[in-house]
């Protein structure tokens, strides 16, 4: 496994992913689980978040303490399903800027079609976390990283809840400079480029469509 790929081992993340997979998990619970998993994964992905010193007065004395230098973080969900991960991360870093990239897979070719892109300014100075619960063929994630880089982004991490080996290979070969955080590495893709065993269509399950 590439050094830039991190697969989550925490039992809470594993348990919540198992609940997500269950076809009987309804929209409300599914949405809450995606948010909680994103928050738990963010503990790992945000280990290198920059700190700055701030003066704090405790009840005893003044001291200089490390605080997150929040202006540097940008999170970028890939629409639609990535939206489900945003609030979990904002609950940890409320000052993060949020960009959006709209991509939709063509049902026949499975290639991503871009329909929206709005990213925060000063991207080259920011730590950027790209979010999408599903890494299937890897086409959407690789295209989103291309877009972020074309807007100046350099320090990029990709966070997904479930990855297929095929997509992990495509993304890490296209962008060897990014870190990839996966909740779980599943078995393979099926003939429709869905992840097996996976959890079905993440966007439909988060938003209650279809
Ligand atoms: C899903 C998923 C990823 C993409 C993964 O989105 O959320 O963005 O497919 O597939 P890939 O790795 O093969 O590119 P989809 O295109 O279905 O759009 P949606 O989120 O709007 O449902
Ligand atoms: N997109 C999804 O939402 N699920 C998959 O299994 C593959 C792509």
């Amino acid at each position: 496994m590439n050094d830039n790929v991190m697969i989550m081992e925490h039992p809470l993340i594993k348990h919540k992913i198992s609940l997500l997979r269950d076809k009987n998990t309804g929209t409300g619970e599914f949405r809450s689980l995606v948010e909680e998993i994103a928050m738990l994964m963010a503990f790992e992905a945000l280990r290198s978040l920059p700190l700055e010193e701030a003066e704090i007065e405790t009840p005893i004395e003044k001291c200089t303490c490390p605080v997150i230098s929040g202006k540097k973080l940008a999170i970028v969900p890939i629409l639609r399903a990535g939206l489900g991960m945003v609030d979990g991360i904002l609950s940890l870093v409320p000052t993060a800027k949020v960009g959006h990239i709209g991509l939709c897979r063509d049902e026949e070719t499975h290639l991503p079609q871009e329909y929206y892109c709005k990213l925060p300014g000063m991207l080259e100075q920011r730590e950027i976390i790209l979010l999408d619960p599903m890494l299937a063929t890897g086409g959407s994630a690789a295209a989103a990283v291309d877009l972020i880089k074309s807007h100046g982004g350099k320090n990029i991490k990709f966070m997904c809840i479930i990855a297929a080996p095929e997509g992990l290979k495509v993304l890490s070969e296209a962008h060897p400079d990014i870190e990839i955080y996966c909740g779980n590495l599943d078995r393979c893709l099926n003939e429709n480029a869905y992840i097996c065993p996976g959890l079905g269509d993440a966007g439909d399950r988060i938003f209650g469509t279809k």
Side-chain angles (χ1 to χ4, degrees):
M1 181 79 60
N2 181 324
D3 280 352
N4 287 356
V5 177
M6 267 64 68
I7 312 284
M8 301 297 109
E9 292 299 335
H10 199 291
L12 278 174
I13 296 178
K14 287 180 181 290
H15 177 77
K16 287 175 192 290
I17 291 176
S18 302
L19 297 177
L20 267 191
R21 293 187 192 279
D22 187 338
K23 67 177 186 184
N24 296 314
T25 296
T27 303
E29 192 189 352
F30 192 92
R31 214 178 270 153
S32 304
L33 286 164
V34 167
E35 194 175 315
E36 288 164 15
I37 294 165
M39 184 183 70
L40 293 169
M41 289 183 67
F43 273 102
E44 280 303 323
L46 297 178
R47 267 180 198 282
S48 58
L49 209 53
L51 292 168
E52 62 191 19
E53 295 296 319
E55 188 164 289
I56 307 255
E57 192 165 356
T58 77
I60 311 297
E61 62 178 26
K62 281 188 183 163
C63 56
T64 306
C65 305
V67 294
I68 301 282
S69 88
K71 290 191 189 65
K72 294 278 189 273
L73 183 68
I75 58 179
V76 180
I78 300 178
L79 308 180
R80 290 174 299 167
L83 282 175
M85 301 171 77
V86 170
D87 284 351
I89 299 180
L90 286 181
S91 67
L92 295 179
V93 191
T95 54
K97 301 281 190 265
V98 184
H100 295 88
I101 291 178
L103 295 174
C104 192
R105 277 199 333 179
D106 181 283
E107 283 187 13
E108 300 291 321
T109 64
H110 308 134
L111 293 173
Q113 317 289 316
E114 180 192 333
Y115 60 88
Y116 189 76
C117 180
K118 184 86 177 173
L119 297 170
M122 298 184 296
L123 215 50
E124 65 288 347
Q125 297 174 27
R126 296 184 188 280
E127 183 153 335
I128 301 156
I129 316 270
L130 178 63
L131 305 174
D132 195 322
M134 309 306 278
L135 179 66
T137 65
S140 303
V145 176
D146 282 339
L147 265 172
I148 290 172
K149 286 183 175 175
S150 73
H151 284 75
K154 292 184 172 65
N155 183 359
I156 303 167
K157 300 177 200 290
F158 176 71
M159 190 193 289
C160 63
I161 296 179
I162 296 189
E166 296 90 330
L168 203 49
K169 184 166 186 295
V170 164
L171 182 60
S172 55
E173 286 180 3
H175 297 289
D177 54 312
I178 71 168
E179 290 176 9
I180 304 173
Y181 293 82
C182 306
N184 197 72
L185 182 58
D186 274 19
R187 195 175 71 249
C188 63
L189 296 178
N190 69 12
E191 62 283 5
N192 296 319
Y194 271 77
I195 302 174
C196 304
L199 49 72
D201 188 304
D204 284 343
R205 294 197 65 188
I206 291 170
F207 294 105
T209 43
K210 266 204 188 141

